[in-house]
Amino acid sequence: QVQLQQWGAGLLKPSETLSLTCAVYGGSFSDYYWSWIRQPPGKGLEWIGEINHSGSINYNPSLKSRVTVSVDTSKNQFSLNLSSVTAADTAVYYCARREHCSTTTCYPFDSWGQGTLVTVSS
Amino acid sequence: EIVMTQSPATLSVSPGKRATLSCRASQSVSSNLAWYQQKPGQAPRLLIYGASTRATGIPARFSGSGSGTEFTLTINSLQSEDFAVYYCQQYNNWPPWTFGQGTKVEIK
């Protein structure tokens, strides 16, 4: 049974960089893409970006200029950096996994972290 | 980017009754459509994938249907634990993966 455990700073000032890390316990690390997804208070879900064990990365074009996702395979961890944050980046941030796409289909997010509330305020 | 539109925004249903939630994609996503349930303070939980396949451990009262651009999540005989927010997500075209804005199922 896989578990995703995430952590990071919960209060930032405008223009600072958001940093979160997610550790994966159990299951295979190499068979999946590892994503970051956020949810502003009272709103819906927005996919931010993803990485796999070999460092292949995909970003949401709307956030690409400010996002960096990285992986540490020695620790089965992956991280998110979001630069130049504003109040609009206030959200609960989740890590999640999805299986690699096959030749015929892709897969949804089947396991999620517990979420981290990040508040941006001066 | 594929836009996912869910309706209604809020659905009021009595316990034991049926809830029918809709999700529409701005272009075809084939059957690459998932439904998630989210309760307050919790992460989303995968309910349905492939438009109609229940995820592991999901009760049979949850069913999904549709393909292309029109999808439905049906919850039969609503239980107290089913009152939550439900999101659809397409995983056919990326980046980005996109979600609907959610439907809240509340007690009538």
Side-chain angles (χ1 to χ4, degrees):
Chain A
Q1 182 78 354
V2 66
Q3 287 191 348
L4 281 66
Q5 187 168 344
Q6 57 183 103
W7 64 89
L11 181 60
L12 297 173
K13 290 180 168 41
S15 80
E16 292 184 334
T17 296
L18 178 157
S19 293
L20 298 173
T21 298
C22 183
V24 179
Y25 301 100
S28 167
F29 192 75
S30 61
D31 289 343
Y32 296 89
Y33 265 91
W34 303 95
S35 276
W36 291 98
I37 296 164
R38 70 180 182 178
Q39 184 172 39
K43 296 188 177 181
L45 298 159
E46 180 181 34
W47 176 77
I48 300 169
E50 63 184 8
I51 191 168
N52 71 1
H53 72 288
S54 62
S56 178
I57 293 172
N58 298 299
Y59 291 134
N60 189 324
S62 69
L63 295 166
K64 187 174 183 177
S65 64
R66 297 194 292 130
V67 174
T68 302
V69 179
S70 59
V71 66
D72 184 342
T73 56
S74 68
K75 297 180 180 179
N76 282 5
Q77 294 178 1
F78 61 106
S79 297
L80 168 70
N81 278 4
L82 179 66
S83 64
S84 304
V85 297
T86 69
D89 295 310
T90 294
V92 175
Y93 286 75
Y94 294 101
C95 55
R97 78 171 190 181
R98 69 164 180 91
E99 210 173 318
H100 281 154
C101 298
S102 71
T103 55
T104 57
T105 190
C106 289
Y107 299 95
F109 302 105
D110 65 354
S111 292
W112 297 64
Q114 79 277 17
T116 300
L117 174 61
V118 177
T119 302
V120 180
S121 175
S122 56
Chain B
E1 172 176 328
I2 295 179
V3 176
M4 308 301 293
T5 304
Q6 292 186 240
S7 61
T10 303
L11 188 60
S12 298
V13 184
S14 299
K17 300 298 185 182
R18 174 183 299 171
T20 302
L21 290 66
S22 295
C23 175
R24 174 176 294 178
S26 60
Q27 64 188 77
S28 176
V29 298
S30 187
S31 294
N32 295 314
L33 189 285
W35 290 94
Y36 301 85
Q37 177 193 67
Q38 187 179 34
K39 297 179 180 179
Q42 296 184 16
R45 176 176 70 145
L46 178 65
L47 295 178
I48 300 283
Y49 64 94
S52 61
T53 302
R54 284 188 301 279
T56 302
I58 302 304
R61 63 181 181 273
F62 291 91
S63 63
S65 63
S67 66
T69 62
E70 301 283 344
F71 301 89
T72 300
L73 174 68
T74 301
I75 313 171
N76 287 308
S77 188
L78 270 162
Q79 307 295 301
S80 58
E81 62 266 29
D82 300 335
F83 293 97
V85 179
Y86 293 83
Y87 294 95
C88 62
Q89 180 232 334
Q90 67 82 19
Y91 51 94
N92 191 68
N93 288 60
W94 56 277
W97 309 112
T98 50
F99 296 83
Q101 79 279 20
T103 291
K104 181 180 181 180
V105 178
E106 64 176 23
I107 300 174
K108 185 174 183 179

